[in-house]
């Protein structure tokens, strides 16, 4: 499905107030994973209270050991401090990378801002080499802006 067709579905899911925030975030992960062929693992990490670490809130895909990620560690931890999108076309070429599954070839992490503060991120792993473009960045920025509205 095209990003432009997914956007209204993301909005519908997030602004359906009867479900918990975690359930709504999970439904967004499911929507993205089901409809974008190269999105194999989709999850949301958030800053864990006052700690300098990320905590996995919800995800769709293979189970991961990396529920807690210290700031600065891996692609996710780097985005927590850089405040910038990070596209990794080839995870094996990265020094500071935390492997979740040998099948993963590439990754994109886009920070999530609330009132100008980097409070979390959406993380996508792909089993396809080098699939992410600026279109993924713009789409995931849109998703995060919509998520921020319900937090
Ligand atoms: N690869 C990430 C770790 C999280 S998993 O992708 C679920 C990283 O390097 O931060």
């Amino acid at each position: 499905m095209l990003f432009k067709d997914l956007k209204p579905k993301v909005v519908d899911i997030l602004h359906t107030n009867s479900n918990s925030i975690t359930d709504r975030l999970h439904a967004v992960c499911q929507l993205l994973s089901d409809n974008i062929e190269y999105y194999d693992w989709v999850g949301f990490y958030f800053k864990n209270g006052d700690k300098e670490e990320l905590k996995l809130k919800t995800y769709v895909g293979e189970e991961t050991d990396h529920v807690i990620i210290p700031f600065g560690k891996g692609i996710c931890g780097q985005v927590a401090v850089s405040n910038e999108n990070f596209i990794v076309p080839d995870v094996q070429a990265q020094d500071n990378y935390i492997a979740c599954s040998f099948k993963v070839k590439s990754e994109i992490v886009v920070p999530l801002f609330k009132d100008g503060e980097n409070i979390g991120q959406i993380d996508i792993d792909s089993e396809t080499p080098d699939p992410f473009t600026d279109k993924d960045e713009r789409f995931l920025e849109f998703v995060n802006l919509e998520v921020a509205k319900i937090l």
Side-chain angles (χ1 to χ4, degrees):
M1 198 181 291
L2 299 170
F3 289 138
K4 79 170 171 47
D5 299 322
L6 284 172
K7 283 181 176 183
K9 293 182 190 297
V10 168
V11 170
D12 276 354
I13 289 169
L14 289 173
H15 302 288
T16 300
N17 293 316
S18 52
N19 295 330
S20 72
I21 285 177
T22 304
D23 284 351
R24 284 181 263 165
L25 292 177
H26 188 81
V28 169
C29 293
Q30 194 73 61
L31 177 80
L32 271 49
S33 155
D34 286 348
N35 289 285
I36 305 172
E37 198 198 347
Y38 54 94
Y39 283 19
D40 294 301
W41 189 97
V42 182
F44 285 97
Y45 284 91
F46 287 94
K47 186 173 195 291
N48 191 15
D50 290 340
K51 297 183 185 155
E52 297 286 289
E53 65 184 29
L54 295 161
K55 185 174 180 193
L56 184 58
K57 191 163 184 76
T58 188
Y59 68 96
V60 167
E62 270 185 33
E63 196 175 345
T64 177
D65 291 337
H66 306 293
V67 174
I68 300 287
I69 299 179
F71 280 15
K73 298 272 184 187
I75 309 304
C76 296
Q78 291 178 75
V79 169
V81 291
S82 74
N83 305 325
E84 287 177 4
N85 298 346
F86 198 160
I87 289 181
V88 182
D90 173 8
V91 295
Q92 291 198 353
Q94 290 291 319
D95 291 336
N96 190 358
Y97 169 71
I98 302 167
C100 282
S101 158
F102 71 92
K103 289 193 251 172
V104 173
K105 299 280 191 294
S106 54
E107 179 162 3
I108 183 170
V109 179
V110 173
L112 195 157
F113 299 96
K114 174 83 182 171
D115 301 327
E117 191 190 343
N118 180 355
I119 59 160
Q121 51 193 237
I122 189 165
D123 176 21
I124 321 271
D125 285 347
S126 180
E127 294 170 15
T128 303
D130 196 10
F132 301 113
T133 70
D134 58 335
K135 291 193 173 58
D136 295 273
E137 290 188 74
R138 299 295 88 77
F139 173 64
L140 296 171
E141 286 165 359
F142 170 85
V143 170
N144 283 353
L145 277 171
E146 290 301 319
V147 169
K149 289 180 190 171
I150 65 163
L151 298 177

